[in-house]
Amino acid sequence: MSEAVNIWRDPDGEYHIEWQASDPATRVSVEALADGAAFEAHYTERSRARISGLPPSRRHFFRVKDEFGTEVLATERRLGLSGSPNFRDFGGYRTAGGQRVRWGYLFRSGHLARLSDADLALLDTLDLDLIFDFRQQMEQQSEPSRLPDRRPPRVHSLPIQPGNNSGFLQQSGGHVAGPEVMFDFMVTVNRELAREEAAVYRRMFEAILAQDSARYLVHCAAGKDRTGFAAALMLLALGVPEAVVMRDYLLSSRFYDAEKEVARVQEKYGLSATDSAAILPMLQVDEAYLGAALSVIREDYPDVPSYLEAVMGVGERELAELRRRYLED
């Protein structure tokens, strides 16, 4: 069994656990590490289980163990926030050196304007220190975040223009010619994140490093592009392989329902005459999108550490500090 265990929680409190085994016939058991809590495990497929009955007010860890004694300890990656379905913990990944990114310190999401009271209660348990909001000011004003009253995190407003699609859609005159036009636009957006918007991400790193062992959240509107590059930068700084970073980025395709958002976007930007297929690339994630940002780094610098030092101000000393905080054996 590999460490590619994926756990997510639905808003109703039900957990889903998926795993990968070299042999599909390998027997795997799942155990919830919850003191005194009664729960039910249902093995729906050979590589999938469903857990119900756990207290919804806190996070839970699970032990996934195969018949050969290999086991993985993990918690949910996607938290069950009904008002922010793409809210995820991007810890838990292995670095190239074999260490693991700590769970419970690094989070990513879409906007927080529609959080329910139950969502706020769960968010409160995360003890976030910092929130980085990459939305444009008009986005922040039209959909203000809901945050816990107890020990509210410090919010850093770091507006990023690419990823806010209003300018492009206004220039299009209310009509996008086809999906290939939107796809190319999204590739360009992600390239700009790595160059034109680099100073914003540098400010993010400065704020993180200024507060010891900060638990933080990065978010934008959907939690995929502006947020995706922010999460990728931190994971790369921590030494997580690029293939794993891409896997984390692509998880938005599972938790952000692009097709469900098409009608809202058509109304918001006056695109009723534009076919939904032409709008979908804006709402989706694609390996080519984040790949475009990473290609800029390779074009301009010999490697990722050189880019981080020259552009983000994250040199050897800063990398060592981030790894001290956010990695464990």
Side-chain angles (χ1 to χ4, degrees):
M1 183 180 65
S2 76
E3 288 205 341
V5 172
N6 189 27
I7 303 173
W8 69 97
R9 189 200 311 198
D10 288 337
D12 62 6
E14 190 167 72
Y15 289 83
H16 302 268
I17 298 96
E18 288 182 344
W19 58 87
Q20 294 180 3
S22 56
D23 183 350
T26 301
R27 293 191 301 273
V28 174
S29 63
V30 178
E31 176 188 1
L33 306 183
D35 294 338
F39 65 90
E40 296 182 3
H42 307 275
Y43 295 87
T44 56
E45 302 173 19
R46 284 193 179 273
S47 60
R48 187 166 178 173
R50 189 178 74 250
I51 303 289
S52 58
L54 292 170
S57 58
R58 66 179 189 273
R59 302 182 74 191
H60 300 280
F61 273 80
F62 300 85
R63 177 183 288 112
V64 183
K65 185 176 181 179
D66 69 18
E67 61 184 296
F68 307 108
T70 303
E71 65 178 50
V72 175
L73 296 178
T75 187
E76 78 252 44
R77 186 161 300 288
R78 197 280 296 272
L79 282 70
L81 275 64
S82 62
S84 189
N86 203 15
F87 195 110
R88 315 202 306 262
D89 187 327
F90 63 100
Y93 294 117
R94 286 283 184 188
T95 69
Q99 292 181 288
R100 187 186 298 278
V101 181
R102 294 180 185 272
W103 291 102
Y105 282 82
L106 314 177
F107 297 91
R108 53 178 295 173
S109 76
H111 72 77
L112 309 174
R114 299 174 191 159
L115 296 187
S116 67
D117 290 343
D119 292 342
L120 286 175
L122 181 56
L123 187 64
D124 188 39
T125 67
L126 304 182
D127 289 326
L128 293 175
D129 299 297
L130 305 171
I131 291 180
F132 299 97
D133 188 343
F134 298 123
R135 297 177 298 163
Q136 286 288 290
Q137 291 293 345
M138 65 176 184
E139 294 177 281
Q140 297 182 31
Q141 292 168 5
S142 64
E143 294 187 299
S145 297
R146 293 195 72 196
L147 298 174
D149 293 327
R150 182 191 71 85
R151 193 180 170 272
R154 182 181 302 128
V155 178
H156 291 261
S157 176
L158 299 178
I160 291 177
Q161 182 64 36
N164 171 29
N165 303 291
S166 58
F168 167 75
L169 295 173
Q170 288 170 1
Q171 293 173 10
S172 71
H175 178 72
V176 179
E180 64 283 348
V181 174
M182 186 66 78
F183 180 89
D184 290 343
F185 167 70
M186 293 304 299
V187 169
T188 300
V189 160
N190 279 270
R191 288 182 62 85
E192 290 178 358
L193 294 177
R195 280 200 185 114
E196 284 80 358
E197 301 298 327
V200 176
Y201 294 108
R202 182 179 182 125
R203 289 166 59 193
M204 176 193 76
F205 276 111
E206 289 171 350
I208 291 169
L209 287 162
Q211 183 162 340
D212 188 41
S213 299
R215 299 174 187 263
Y216 74 87
L217 167 72
V218 288
H219 83 90
C220 53
K224 58 185 189 71
D225 296 303
R226 292 169 283 185
T227 293
F229 188 57
L233 286 175
M234 178 56 77
L235 290 176
L236 290 170
L238 294 176
V240 175
E242 187 174 310
V244 178
V245 173
M246 183 64 73
R247 192 173 76 209
D248 178 79
Y249 166 77
L250 293 173
L251 281 177
S252 287
S253 65
R254 302 189 69 167
F255 303 130
Y256 182 75
D257 191 339
E259 293 186 358
K260 187 177 178 181
E261 296 294 320
V262 168
R264 179 187 62 81
V265 169
Q266 286 175 317
E267 180 179 359
K268 180 177 180 180
Y269 296 111
L271 296 172
S272 58
T274 296
D275 186 75
S276 60
I279 297 172
L280 271 176
M282 180 180 72
L283 300 168
Q284 295 170 328
V285 289
D286 193 286
E287 190 168 341
Y289 296 171
L290 180 59
L294 298 178
S295 70
V296 165
I297 295 175
R298 289 190 288 268
E299 290 167 12
D300 295 352
Y301 295 88
D303 50 35
V304 170
S306 299
Y307 173 82
L308 290 172
E309 182 171 20
V311 179
M312 299 295 156
V314 179
E316 290 186 7
R317 182 176 63 84
E318 291 80 12
L319 285 176
E321 172 60 19
L322 291 173
R323 292 175 183 184
R324 178 192 70 80
R325 295 181 184 187
Y326 299 125
L327 297 183
E328 61 186 3
D329 294 329

